[in-house]
Amino acid sequence: MGISLSKLTEKTNIWPWLLLAPLGIYMLIFFVVPLAEVAIMSFTEPKVSLANYQKVLTGALYQRVFLNTFVTAAFVTLCCLLVGYPLAYLMAHSKPRTAMLILLLVTMSFWTSFLVRTYSWMVLLGNNGPLIAFLEMIGFDKPPQLLFTRFSSTLAMVHILAPYMIMNIYTVMKKIDPALIRSAESLGARGWSLFRHVYLPLTAPGIANGSVLVFVICLGFYVTPVLLGSPREQMIAGLIGHQIEEFLAFGLGSAMAMILLVVTLIILTIYHRRFGLDKLWG
Amino acid sequence: MNTFMRWAGFIVVLFIAAPLVIVVPMSFSNASSLQFPPPGYWLGYYRAYFTSVDWLIPTWNSILIATATTILTMALVVPATFALVRHKFRGKGFADLMMLMPMAVPHIVMAVGYYSYFGDLGLVHSHLGVILAHTCLSVPIAFLVLSANLKGFDRNFERAAQSLGASPAKTFLHVTLPILRPGLVISSLFAFIQSFDETVVAIFISGRDAETLPRKMFDSIRQEADPVIAVISTLLFFVVLLGIAAPYFASALRSRAPKPSRPAAAH
Amino acid sequence: MTNYLQLSNITKTYGHFTALDDVSLSVDKGEFVTFLGPSGSGKTTTLMIIAGFEKASGGKVQVGGQSISELAPHERNIGIVFQNYALFPHKTAVENVYFPLQMRGVSRSKGLRQAEDTLSLVGLKGFGHRHPKELSGGQQQRVALARALVFEPSLLLLDEPLGALDKNLREQMQIEIKRIQRSLGVTTIFVTHDQSEAMSMSDRIVVFEKGRIEQVAAPLDIYHRPQTSFVAAFIGESNLIPATITSGAGRTAENSTLGAFQYAATDILADGQKVTLLIRPEHIKLSRNPIEGRKNVRMIVETIVNYGDNALVIGRAGDIPMRVRMLGADVVIIREGEECCISWMPEAVFVITK
Ligand SMILES: Nc1ncnc2c1ncn2[C@@H]1O[C@H](COP(=O)(O)OP(=O)(O)OP(=O)(O)O)[C@@H](O)[C@H]1O
Ligand SMILES: [Mg+2]
């Protein structure tokens, strides 16, 4: 090879295109085209019209599912924040040993398959599970149904998505200069006001990151709501799957998928403008 | 505020930990349905897992598909990452963004697309179909890890090698690749796990013939909640524990700090 | 052999920005030349063009009479030491040093032996099996040097090689590098920010500024006879006084506030020419009263910085800021805020025409 590296790095040459081409072509064939197919089907199945969108946007069932999805995603995000913030704090401000153990735990949870964690909640919340047993012990004659309710799917989603929140907040907390806190204290900030006016604003980027991530994943969440949720209170991904698998209603399914996609992309675009998309998965 | 945070933190620790460990005793249970605490213990479900074709074939399929996906992903991503990190050209910002797109699109949307598209191509219910789809979904993770590594790569290593008489090809082989190896390994690992864990697309396109482990688990949880799932969960739990603990131990030995964070996927 | 390395009219542009503007330089075989200049002045760029990592926009590079402009970096046989050493982290010290020999097809056993020898030359006998991160900064520096020398390069380029070392180690390495360079007789270009380093090590110094060469000369010439006011200001401490030649033949110039000056012998300059007069702070004497036979000027003392062995007195003569170096023990004669007399001999005044 007689080509020098300096020639390789000249601004206008074909090298980057050559290197990029295989992936580019691949993504075109196996990413863009399938996505385009969804878009096309939403307008053409079963016949060319806007009927699918009309139905999806005005039908009471669909509206309820959309609303349910949004409310659930927002609620899960909020819960993840409430659960994640203290834990991230504990990780960031404990002795190295404790911090390390918690980090290990969160990382474990992070890497454990969604399915495994969903299954665990099935055991925990099942009719023969420990929680029901506990409720019976403290005097419930007929304990409420926990599994296959909005409660069980929300709880499991919070558990599954919390690590994303925790990791994002923890990363930010870790970077806070202790001297900054000390100097704020020396200026008279204490307790709640120190937290509100100094600590919380400093961790805001982590909160924003984690929240966007959790919210967006939750919007399109399929596995857990389908397995643990109430069949009567589906979320959008579940309904899409249902339409496709049960009724082969590709048009309707695609229209819903497109709406889900557009909403997701709008959120991520706003995020991208402010922070840059590559930061999200940090 | 401090004490409150600490107490809240410890309760959350319990919340996070309980569902992770509960599968372990469950896997040794002799109950035929989900019952906790188990009425008695045996190894029957382990035997069931390791002797049942219904479970072993999906396991094997998953390993096969994840391996092929990893290879294909790396073959595509490595050159592309070099192009995107090392070169300036028009449309680079757009290309950067496109690399991340499969992560931004909800998997259920991709699943609908693949279900119909691969149906047209005759690729549903085939290993190849799943591999092709998974490769797409693994690209962003592999790219993120690798590009972070490549950005941190000091070009002076390559300059030094060339000044010492190594041609560009030899420089790549003797210097660039070995120095980038940890990044390549981690990037491949992420691609592998992404594929191995991927559920939604697999549910829609893998069919009976290319059934993956997550799909089998999903179906089983949905239908009969086969206790074998607890066995698989336990095995996966220990694989993850081993995978995370290994670098910790290695780093304790070599006293180098690990960075156990993982780019997430939109499942 | 003279003109061993020859740079002719090198220019380098990045878009509209000119990083190097008509740089010409010739270096003799075995010479130790230092590139000195402020950040961004083009030192590294010049080095990268010599090494072949950057392509010059114009001009050519010759080594031993042959143009090397068309050669790829790996064909140039030039050893380089980078500021961060760029030792290959996956290879041991001796494998790093063996690398260039390996690339030249030397067998492993022979190459490793040769590498060990070179490591001994730089004082690292017995450290060969260590990986770079198991070596101290100074030791890594030596490995990098050995690696750049083991294949007997036609040129040795060092880009701020001592920048990352602390002061003591720097001085030690300066001596070491100089010793090795002398013993091997390798033609060397050394880039540094540090003028004392440049002064102590070089046969000649090349001063860069804004992509141009300001001056090429031996260290003492650079110090005592700077060609431009930039060089005068950049090297060492200086008092620069704008003036106009009143009599070229009589070697007098005049500054509007300080009056007439005698200056040291130079070529005869045209009357009325605008010049800058350089007086080094250590050539100025500070006293209470004027001293006979010298040019005397009154100065208000503003700040005194005492370093112990010597002291710097900063003040103002009219509107011109002046600096005076004196012995630390002598500084008691004056206090901040007082007026005093400063004086110098005509030989201390050097005329800069550019
Ligand atoms: N790839 C590039 N693109 C655009 N400008 C560049 C590039 N490389 C260098 N420059 C510019 O060229 C000028 C000279 O840079 P160079 O690195 O040669 O300076 P230097 O003298 O080595 O400085 P330092 O002492 O800080 O190392 C600088 O202004 C720099 O910004
Ligand atoms: Mg430089």
Side-chain angles (χ1 to χ4, degrees):
Chain A
M1 267 179 99
I3 319 154
S4 75
L5 207 73
S6 66
K7 276 184 198 142
L8 280 177
T9 51
E10 289 278 302
K11 262 180 202 159
T12 48
N13 67 30
I14 58 161
W15 269 97
W17 298 108
L18 231 54
L19 293 172
L20 213 47
L23 183 65
I25 294 167
Y26 188 91
M27 296 289 267
L28 196 66
I29 301 176
F30 294 110
F31 179 67
V32 177
V33 173
L35 262 188
E37 188 146 330
V38 177
I40 291 167
M41 282 194 301
S42 72
F43 293 108
T44 60
E45 288 283 327
K47 59 183 195 322
V48 182
S49 71
L50 288 174
N52 290 324
Y53 285 98
Q54 199 175 19
K55 200 165 170 190
V56 168
L57 290 172
T58 58
L61 163 76
Y62 302 102
Q63 284 182 347
R64 215 180 57 231
V65 171
F66 278 120
L67 188 69
N68 182 34
T69 307
F70 264 96
V71 172
T72 308
F75 185 67
V76 167
T77 308
L78 183 71
C79 291
C80 280
L81 187 59
L82 292 179
V83 164
Y85 204 87
L87 194 68
Y89 183 86
L90 200 62
M91 274 159 75
H93 301 284
S94 293
K95 287 189 227 73
R97 213 184 148 72
T98 323
M100 172 97 151
L101 280 174
I102 303 175
L103 185 65
L104 189 73
L105 177 70
V106 175
T107 317
M108 272 301 295
S109 184
F110 212 35
W111 285 91
T112 303
S113 156
F114 283 21
L115 277 168
V116 171
R117 285 183 279 166
T118 303
Y119 173 76
S120 299
W121 281 105
M122 239 167 146
V123 175
L124 281 169
L125 301 176
N127 286 335
N128 297 318
L131 211 64
I132 294 280
F134 175 73
L135 288 178
E136 275 170 347
M137 203 179 74
I138 61 169
F140 276 90
D141 300 338
K142 239 173 90 351
Q145 167 78 18
L146 297 178
L147 210 51
F148 310 122
T149 61
R150 181 179 271 187
F151 169 74
S152 59
S153 70
T154 308
L155 191 63
M157 281 193 277
V158 172
H159 179 256
I160 289 172
L161 298 180
Y164 295 104
M165 186 72 90
I166 295 168
M167 283 310 200
N168 269 294
I169 297 177
Y170 170 69
T171 318
V172 175
M173 282 181 177
K174 224 26 217 178
K175 284 194 204 122
I176 293 178
D177 185 356
L180 209 64
I181 303 297
R182 276 199 299 277
S183 79
E185 275 174 336
S186 74
L187 293 174
R190 288 272 183 285
W192 174 245
S193 101
L194 173 68
F195 177 74
R196 234 203 74 127
H197 295 291
V198 181
Y199 202 77
L200 196 61
L202 284 173
T203 50
I207 296 176
N209 247 355
S211 301
V212 170
L213 194 57
V214 169
F215 188 79
V216 161
I217 297 177
C218 204
L219 274 187
F221 214 150
Y222 180 81
V223 173
T224 305
V226 167
L227 289 179
L228 288 184
S230 152
R232 275 169 287 109
E233 286 165 345
Q234 277 181 316
M235 286 179 55
I236 185 164
L239 187 59
I240 294 171
H242 202 65
Q243 295 285 352
I244 303 279
E245 280 189 313
E246 300 288 314
F247 306 120
L248 294 175
F250 279 98
L252 272 182
S254 299
M256 282 187 283
M258 285 313 288
I259 293 171
L260 172 62
L261 177 62
V262 168
V263 172
T264 306
L265 290 186
I266 287 175
I267 295 169
L268 289 181
T269 306
I270 296 170
Y271 181 86
H272 178 61
R273 288 271 156 78
R274 286 210 56 160
F275 302 103
L277 204 52
D278 53 330
K279 305 278 183 309
L280 188 58
W281 291 283
Chain B
M1 166 233 214
N2 215 315
T3 358
F4 169 75
M5 283 291 212
R6 272 164 203 281
W7 274 106
F10 275 114
I11 292 170
V12 176
V13 165
L14 271 183
F15 169 69
I16 303 272
L20 292 183
V21 292
I22 195 172
V23 292
V24 180
M26 277 302 285
S27 70
F28 296 104
S29 166
N30 62 5
S32 59
S33 66
L34 302 178
Q35 193 178 339
F36 193 90
Y41 294 95
W42 71 328
L43 284 173
Y45 290 118
Y46 281 87
R47 183 158 4 99
Y49 171 71
F50 283 109
T51 54
S52 156
V53 177
D54 284 353
W55 283 105
L56 288 181
I57 287 182
T59 309
W60 172 242
N61 279 341
S62 273
I63 293 173
L64 198 74
I65 287 169
T67 307
T69 298
T70 306
I71 294 169
L72 186 54
T73 304
M74 295 313 281
L76 293 168
V77 165
V78 171
T81 308
F82 269 85
L84 286 170
V85 174
R86 292 268 175 103
H87 297 270
K88 288 199 192 106
F89 53 89
R90 278 184 56 199
K92 180 171 132 50
F94 176 76
D96 273 333
L97 208 57
M98 277 312 288
M99 297 290 279
L100 300 178
M101 278 317 279
M103 229 175 198
V105 177
H107 282 192
I108 185 72
V109 177
M110 291 315 298
V112 174
Y114 287 130
Y115 191 51
S116 150
Y117 181 55
F118 283 179
D120 302 342
L121 296 179
L123 283 173
V124 281
H125 304 189
S126 74
H127 288 78
L128 181 61
V130 185
I131 293 166
L132 292 173
H134 278 186
T135 298
C136 222
L137 304 179
S138 294
V139 161
I141 295 172
F143 170 68
L144 276 177
V145 176
L146 200 59
S147 68
N149 269 275
L150 197 56
K151 277 177 197 152
F153 183 93
D154 184 354
R155 292 300 291 274
N156 278 350
F157 286 133
E158 287 169 348
R159 294 205 172 117
Q162 298 209 332
S163 76
L164 298 170
S167 64
K170 279 190 173 161
T171 300
F172 188 74
L173 211 66
H174 288 281
V175 174
T176 314
L177 269 190
I179 295 178
L180 275 182
R181 203 173 63 185
L184 288 167
V185 169
I186 292 175
S187 172
S188 310
L189 194 66
F190 280 12
F192 186 93
I193 291 168
Q194 163 69 29
S195 166
F196 195 84
D197 276 354
E198 201 288 324
T199 314
V200 184
V201 170
I203 288 171
F204 280 80
I205 67 168
S206 70
R208 282 244 127 237
D209 299 333
E211 189 176 39
T212 65
L213 190 59
R215 182 197 149 105
K216 171 73 182 165
M217 286 170 73
F218 181 86
D219 281 348
S220 173
I221 293 175
R222 181 137 80 162
Q223 281 149 21
E224 77 254 71
D226 189 339
V228 169
I229 295 165
V231 171
I232 297 169
S233 298
T234 304
L235 294 176
L236 289 178
F237 174 83
F238 281 109
V239 168
V240 173
L241 186 63
L242 214 72
I244 292 171
Y248 272 89
F249 284 126
S251 77
L253 288 178
R254 273 178 286 138
S255 70
R256 214 201 292 141
K259 188 170 173 287
S261 80
R262 164 208 200 184
H267 284 238
Chain C
M1 181 179 173
T2 55
N3 291 359
Y4 180 65
L5 167 69
Q6 178 81 44
L7 306 183
S8 322
N9 313 99
I10 304 281
T11 56
K12 174 72 189 174
T13 53
Y14 293 107
H16 295 296
F17 177 75
T18 305
L20 287 181
D21 184 7
D22 196 23
V23 167
S24 296
L25 175 70
S26 61
V27 177
D28 292 347
K29 196 168 174 70
E31 203 177 3
F32 192 111
V33 170
T34 297
F35 287 2
L36 184 62
S39 195
S41 57
K43 307 179 297 286
T44 300
T45 307
T46 309
L47 227 53
M48 289 297 122
I49 287 172
I50 297 171
F53 297 121
E54 295 282 356
K55 214 170 151 54
S57 316
K60 68 176 186 232
V61 184
Q62 289 169 301
V63 175
Q66 300 283 312
S67 169
I68 60 166
S69 300
E70 293 309 312
L71 293 182
H74 69 278
E75 298 162 333
R76 293 194 179 193
N77 205 40
I78 293 175
I80 307 182
V81 176
F82 294 90
Q83 175 167 4
N84 55 3
Y85 318 135
L87 293 178
F88 307 136
H90 59 295
K91 291 175 181 289
T92 61
V94 68
E95 282 168 348
N96 264 282
V97 181
Y98 167 56
F99 184 79
L101 302 173
Q102 184 187 359
M103 291 301 118
R104 285 165 177 76
V106 179
S107 76
R108 198 174 163 82
S109 58
K110 183 159 173 269
L112 285 176
R113 221 174 318 120
Q114 198 177 334
E116 288 284 5
D117 291 346
T118 313
L119 277 177
S120 322
L121 174 75
V122 298
L124 279 184
K125 204 176 174 61
F127 285 88
H129 62 281
R130 296 214 195 165
H131 279 274
K133 63 167 186 286
E134 299 161 340
L135 295 169
S136 73
Q139 290 167 336
Q140 292 182 29
Q141 169 74 73
R142 288 160 196 261
V143 176
L145 192 61
R147 189 178 68 173
L149 288 170
V150 69
F151 58 100
E152 292 168 11
S154 51
L155 270 179
L156 177 64
L157 311 179
L158 305 112
D159 193 354
E160 299 190 41
L162 307 178
L165 303 181
D166 65 41
K167 193 166 172 294
N168 279 336
L169 206 51
R170 274 180 93 108
E171 282 166 6
Q172 199 182 324
M173 283 308 295
Q174 285 170 13
I175 296 167
E176 191 81 334
I177 289 176
K178 196 64 211 179
R179 174 185 70 80
I180 294 164
Q181 190 266 342
R182 277 232 188 81
S183 73
L184 298 178
V186 59
T187 313
T188 302
I189 295 179
F190 184 96
V191 172
T192 182
H193 267 120
D194 181 338
Q195 37 170 305
S196 67
E197 197 165 282
M199 288 287 175
S200 66
M201 295 176 78
S202 330
D203 296 326
R204 282 190 302 156
I205 295 176
V206 182
V207 181
F208 277 79
E209 157 72 350
K210 298 205 174 102
R212 301 178 137 272
I213 292 183
E214 289 275 317
Q215 186 171 2
V216 185
L220 288 180
D221 279 344
I222 291 268
Y223 188 75
H224 292 296
R225 282 177 282 284
Q227 293 300 300
T228 67
S229 37
F230 171 79
V231 176
F234 188 70
I235 310 284
E237 282 180 315
S238 52
N239 293 296
L240 292 173
I241 302 159
T244 311
I245 302 287
T246 44
S247 161
R251 302 216 159 76
T252 38
E254 188 175 87
N255 172 275
S256 48
T257 38
L258 301 185
F261 278 77
Q262 289 284 321
Y263 57 79
T266 62
D267 300 337
I268 292 174
L269 298 166
D271 293 359
Q273 190 179 346
K274 301 259 180 259
V275 295
T276 307
L277 304 177
L278 163 69
I279 310 169
R280 295 288 181 193
E282 67 273 21
H283 292 154
I284 301 180
K285 202 167 163 59
L286 190 147
S287 54
R288 293 228 139 257
N289 300 306
I291 300 173
E292 199 71 18
R294 299 167 75 97
K295 163 76 181 171
N296 286 282
V297 169
R298 300 212 71 79
M299 179 179 91
I300 310 281
V301 176
E302 288 173 344
T303 314
I304 300 172
V305 190
N306 200 330
Y307 294 99
D309 62 336
N310 72 84
L312 176 66
V313 180
I314 301 172
R316 234 162 232 293
D319 58 348
I320 297 178
M322 296 293 290
R323 296 169 153 249
V324 181
R325 279 267 166 204
M326 54 197 298
L327 288 179
D330 294 347
V331 85
V332 289
I333 63 168
I334 196 77
R335 293 237 180 94
E336 288 179 7
E338 286 180 350
E339 199 183 57
C340 65
C341 200
I342 53 175
S343 62
W344 54 80
M345 301 296 287
E347 300 83 75
V349 182
F350 183 76
V351 186
I352 297 166
T353 51
K354 272 185 270 190

